Amino acid sequence: MRQLDRKAEREIAELLRRNLSSPTASASSASAQALRAAYLARAPHIHWAAVQSPVGRLHLAASERGLLRVAFESDRQRFLAELDPRAHLQHNGAYIEAALEQVQDYFKRPAEPFELKLDLAALTSFQRRVLASIRAIPTGEVWSYADVAAAIGKPRAARAVGQALGSNPIPIVIPCHRVVASDGGLGGYSGGLDRKRYLLQHEGAR
Amino acid sequence: MQPPPRFEQLIEQHHDEIHRYLWRGLWSGGSAQPDQQAEDLTQEVFMRAFEAYGSIRSTKHLRAWLYKIATNCLRSHWNRSQVASTNIDHDLPLEGPAAQPLERLLDEEREQQLHTAISQLPDKQRLAVIMRHLDGLEYRDIAQVLACSQESARANVSHGLRRLRELLLATAQEEG
């Protein structure tokens, strides 16, 4: 096929740019509004908040199903970047109110149990079982990884239990800090061992 | 890996250009109601993108990715409404008053003439021309959208412009 020379190509392209019709501003704005409504109807809604605590600034996030994240992350942007990118985010919305209040209370009265709905939909069923079992550890007590493995009926799975605890998205509220090594050592903690030590002392654990 | 931008941000950044691209695709494809159809298709594009966004692997070329979904939506729309495809390929006289600048040959009905001319291009050429010269996409991106090589993307744009010029000159000749 014969090619247009560059000059002719530029000429026709320029003609197009200047004369080809576009949608009106009102059509464009109506479409933007309709799209926003459709997005809000479809997207998960996540409410989030930040709170100062004795273990540093915490960020919390919850969906309508319940609390889904407590992060030892002081940087807001980094925290928000790890939430579902499709979600519509709202600062200090209604979903997060109860969690915010109870987490603040915990640092004053650690024996008061958390009464919160949790959203663990993003986890595997094994992780959910492990995390459900450690919610039964009373304040002031600690279990070993082997105890947790036994509690879920998988006594040989202590290592997998350790991994599941390491990826606990809701530390403090799901008290993975109450699980320690069987030799009496602290074991690990996603928030760092200083925080783990503080939380155990705060709860009066020996 | 860089975290993907929030989907809401993607909507804010790209709604207007995707809506305009769809509107022009529909309008130049002969639609009598481009406003309503472009609004519906814009929603379809972003809702399809939304479904795929949870498992998106690369955050590169998101713009081209949206154009690709938009192009697929246009094609499905045309298939659904069974609009006659404009893939005719008859030859047009190339010679004529080419020595004069094209602009002067067209009068105040320029917009209508352009519409008639561009609506006669094959879909692929028409969309390639719009993406390149109205929306400023790189050939690399157009190739991704049309699932073809960069050379082929370039050829579609070039052939589209050439055909457009022939059609406009033919109109001018008829009138002149």
Side-chain angles (χ1 to χ4, degrees):
Chain A
M1 202 178 218
R2 286 156 298 192
Q3 299 286 326
L4 277 184
D5 65 45
R6 283 187 176 280
K7 186 167 167 267
E9 199 165 302
R10 273 202 305 275
E11 188 193 11
I12 189 83
E14 183 55 31
L15 188 76
L16 270 179
R17 272 196 292 277
R18 265 191 274 139
N19 298 292
L20 197 69
S21 295
S22 307
T24 60
S26 73
S28 177
S29 131
S31 165
Q33 271 181 32
L35 175 59
R36 179 151 183 81
Y39 163 74
L40 289 175
R42 183 83 66 95
H45 289 231
I46 292 180
H47 296 176
W48 65 276
V51 60
Q52 288 298 342
S53 84
V55 292
R57 189 176 167 81
L58 304 173
H59 276 97
L60 284 64
S63 70
E64 61 183 340
R65 287 196 293 263
L67 184 64
L68 57 80
R69 186 84 177 100
V70 171
F72 297 111
E73 169 62 72
S74 59
D75 184 84
R76 188 181 66 173
Q77 289 312 323
R78 275 206 297 271
F79 167 70
L80 297 179
E82 67 168 47
L83 300 174
D84 180 351
R86 302 189 303 173
H88 171 67
L89 303 181
Q90 186 183 326
H91 186 206
N92 286 335
Y95 302 154
I96 201 69
E97 277 172 9
L100 194 58
E101 200 180 302
Q102 291 186 30
V103 167
Q104 283 168 318
D105 281 353
Y106 164 82
F107 286 103
K108 295 176 204 146
R109 293 179 292 277
E112 203 86 354
F114 286 105
E115 283 174 9
L116 292 170
K117 282 194 292 178
L118 305 181
D119 179 355
L120 299 172
L123 304 185
T124 66
S125 59
F126 179 76
Q127 285 173 311
R128 278 201 291 270
R129 260 161 55 213
V130 170
L131 297 179
S133 77
I134 65 165
R135 292 183 79 187
I137 310 175
T139 310
E141 285 186 23
V142 293
W143 287 9
S144 70
Y145 294 97
D147 291 338
V148 181
I152 59 163
K154 298 210 168 213
R156 296 156 79 93
R159 188 178 291 268
V161 162
Q163 281 168 356
L165 294 178
S167 60
N168 173 14
I170 316 178
I172 299 177
V173 175
I174 299 179
C176 59
H177 58 278
R178 294 178 194 156
V179 182
V180 297
S182 43
D183 65 1
L186 274 181
Y189 196 54
S190 63
L193 290 181
D194 285 348
R195 288 197 177 99
K196 187 167 186 174
R197 199 174 293 117
Y198 174 88
L199 294 173
L200 289 173
Q201 279 170 3
H202 174 61
E203 295 178 357
R206 279 175 296 157
Chain B
M1 194 184 87
Q2 183 91 353
R6 306 212 59 81
F7 193 78
E8 215 166 349
Q9 224 175 319
L10 208 68
I11 291 181
E12 273 166 34
Q13 271 171 16
H14 298 287
H15 166 272
D16 288 1
E17 67 174 356
I18 292 296
H19 174 258
R20 192 175 56 224
Y21 171 67
L22 289 166
W23 190 95
R24 281 174 167 156
L26 288 160
W27 173 82
S28 64
S31 165
Q33 300 162 306
D35 282 3
Q36 189 53 51
Q37 287 171 342
E39 184 175 317
D40 293 346
L41 280 190
T42 302
Q43 255 186 59
E44 195 179 323
V45 169
F46 281 95
M47 289 303 112
R48 278 196 205 181
F50 180 86
E51 293 308 325
Y53 207 62
S55 55
I56 196 157
R57 288 200 200 137
S58 169
T59 57
K60 283 185 187 170
H61 312 306
L62 284 174
R63 186 178 182 219
W65 180 64
L66 287 173
Y67 269 86
K68 182 168 191 163
I69 300 175
T71 304
N72 290 340
C73 282
L74 276 172
R75 284 175 172 153
S76 321
H77 168 81
W78 287 323
N79 286 340
R80 275 197 303 270
S81 51
Q82 295 189 318
V83 172
S85 175
T86 48
N87 282 316
I88 41 155
D89 203 22
H90 55 254
D91 239 1
L92 286 143
L94 227 191
E95 305 315 317
Q100 300 177 52
L102 193 57
E103 190 100 16
R104 240 181 290 152
L105 298 173
L106 299 161
D107 52 19
E108 64 278 1
E109 287 166 5
R110 192 177 288 151
E111 194 179 306
Q112 184 52 45
Q113 290 174 341
L114 263 177
H115 179 243
T116 310
I118 199 169
S119 67
Q120 290 179 58
L121 297 185
D123 294 341
K124 210 168 176 179
Q125 290 182 11
R126 195 155 54 80
L127 297 177
V129 166
I130 292 175
M131 282 188 273
R132 177 71 195 121
H133 288 292
L134 293 157
D135 297 349
L137 265 72
E138 301 292 339
Y139 285 112
R140 182 194 62 208
D141 293 335
I142 298 171
Q144 193 188 330
V145 173
L146 299 177
C148 63
S149 65
Q150 282 197 43
E151 291 70 40
S152 170
R154 221 175 259 280
N156 270 295
V157 172
S158 178
H159 293 170
L161 288 177
R162 173 178 169 271
R163 168 62 69 77
L164 204 51
R165 188 167 185 272
E166 289 166 0
L167 289 163
L168 290 169
L169 288 172
T171 312
Q173 259 183 330
E174 276 169 25
E175 289 180 0

